[in-house]
Amino acid sequence: QLRVGGERLSSSQCRSPVSRSPVLTMLMNLPRLGNVTVLTAAARRLGSFYLHSGSVVRKSETIIQANMKVELLPALADNYMYLLIDNETKEAAIVDPVEPQKVVEAVKKHGVKLTTVLTTHHHWDHAGGNEELVMKVPDLQVYGGDDRIRALTCRATHKKTFKVGSLNVRCLFTPCHTSGHICYFVTKENSSEVPAVFTGDTLFVAGCGKFFEGSGEEMYRALIDILGSLPPETRVYCGHEYTINNLKFARHVEPNNAAIKQKLAWAKEHYGLGKPTIPSTIGEEFSYNPFMRVREMSVQEHVGMKDAISTMDAIRKEKDQFQVPKD
């Protein structure tokens, strides 16, 4: 039996992203606390229980491109870590390594050299494994945009660039979910390779992160002005498997949007097989993500607003209170 904050968690509460205990939900959103090790250990127990107690086992998956590979590594109850591999040099980076042992095993499987940690933000379910990982793998460079990130060695700022092997990484400052949130945009020089962006808890498939340390205006800038300006074919690798619930809310906002209905049917099928519903693309997000469609009249009319930023604030508040339907 697992108790969190004095509350015993039932198997259904641990297993279901929809019906989690309020205490567990609180923990999933906690920033760094004094004893990150204790919280992370509890989270790993919950994640393992989720993986093996329910009918769906979340599977890893590798996206292979000419110049890079991205392995999606499920973690905790609904997180993703991402192993980014440069095919030319066999150097690799890991995004948000909350379960370090899984990372070490994936690195060994691919036969690559892990050089870099890309931390999107300081919340423990993203940064809580940094300290353990740097003890397991020497000489790692740990990037992040917030001094609250443990084991930080390289402060990321907007448009700062560096390399992972021959891959170019550009930092995108996207504050709102947290004040130091960074997304990482990855390209290959002189290549027609499809780019990738690792968006943490700023942009999800069909959703966005809660505005814990920011405003609708900041999220608008993050989603529309910064991420929205990336090439439409850019693959979006986000921090959580929230796709089905996000699409159910999107359907509530725009019930006549065919792209939402099609994506929801696809996501249910994939998730039911244990497959990730990630990545999407920036172009796709503009077709079904209500937070990237705040300039659309149909979304503004839903909340009774006439401008995009007020609409962003309004639909976020509505999403925070949204009761997800079973279908």
Side-chain angles (χ1 to χ4, degrees), residues 6 39 51 58 70-71 131 135 161 184 188 191 193 201 207 211 217 222 269 276 293-295:
L39 286 173
L51 287 172
R58 296 170 63 217
V70 178
E71 182 169 9
E131 288 180 310
M135 289 189 288
T161 60
Y184 298 93
K188 172 80 171 184
S191 171
E193 184 88 331
D201 286 4
F211 303 175
E217 184 173 3
E269 179 182 358
R293 292 176 55 80
V294 291
R295 295 172 295 183

Side-chain angles (χ1 to χ4, degrees), residues 2 10 25-26 30 33 36 45 47 62 65 69 88-89 93 98 134 153 168 177-178 188 197 279 295 324:
L2 179 63
S10 69
T25 300
M26 175 193 73
L30 274 178
L33 293 182
V36 172
R45 285 178 176 270
T62 302
Q65 299 180 203
K69 295 177 187 173
E88 181 180 330
T89 65
V98 66
V134 298
T153 63
N168 297 318
H177 182 69
T178 68
K188 172 80 171 184
V197 65
R295 295 172 295 183
V324 181

Side-chain angles (χ1 to χ4, degrees), residues 28-50:
M28 294 299 292
N29 292 322
L30 274 178
R32 188 193 78 194
L33 293 182
N35 196 337
V36 172
T37 302
V38 172
L39 286 173
T40 304
R44 288 176 191 160
R45 285 178 176 270
L46 289 170
S48 176
F49 189 71
Y50 170 81

Side-chain angles (χ1 to χ4, degrees), residues 110-132:
H110 288 281
V112 296
K113 180 182 179 182
L114 185 65
T115 63
T116 309
V117 175
L118 306 177
T119 313
T120 60
H121 62 295
H122 75 282
H123 287 170
W124 67 268
D125 60 319
H126 295 261
N130 284 8
E131 288 180 310
E132 182 180 336

Side-chain angles (χ1 to χ4, degrees), residues 11 39 80 82 99 110 151 171 185-186 203-204 222 253 272 277 282 287 291 296 307 320 324:
S11 61
L39 286 173
Y80 283 107
Y82 298 101
E99 294 196 44
H110 288 281
C171 303
F185 180 58
V186 181
L203 172 61
F204 299 127
V253 174
T277 62
I282 293 293
S287 73
F291 296 95
E296 300 293 327
D307 69 276
D320 290 345
V324 181

Side-chain angles (χ1 to χ4, degrees), residues 4-74:
V4 180
E7 179 180 349
R8 187 175 66 190
L9 302 180
S10 69
S11 61
S12 62
Q13 287 171 326
C14 291
R15 186 167 61 244
S16 171
V18 175
S19 60
R20 283 198 193 105
S21 153
V23 172
L24 180 55
T25 300
M26 175 193 73
L27 276 175
M28 294 299 292
N29 292 322
L30 274 178
R32 188 193 78 194
L33 293 182
N35 196 337
V36 172
T37 302
V38 172
L39 286 173
T40 304
R44 288 176 191 160
R45 285 178 176 270
L46 289 170
S48 176
F49 189 71
Y50 170 81
L51 287 172
H52 299 292
S53 299
S55 58
V56 174
V57 176
R58 296 170 63 217
K59 302 172 186 176
S60 65
E61 185 168 292
T62 302
I63 308 298
I64 300 174
Q65 299 180 203
N67 296 314
M68 73 174 86
K69 295 177 187 173
V70 178
E71 182 169 9
L72 290 70
L73 298 169

Side-chain angles (χ1 to χ4, degrees), residues 5 11 23 43 53 60 84 86 118 121 138-140 166 182 194 204-205 208 216 262 282 287 297 308 319 321:
S11 61
V23 172
S53 299
S60 65
L84 169 67
D86 173 37
L118 306 177
H121 62 295
D139 302 321
L140 285 177
S166 66
I182 297 285
V194 174
F204 299 127
V205 179
C208 73
Q262 292 169 5
I282 293 293
S287 73
M297 186 175 297
K319 176 70 161 59
Q321 303 299 322

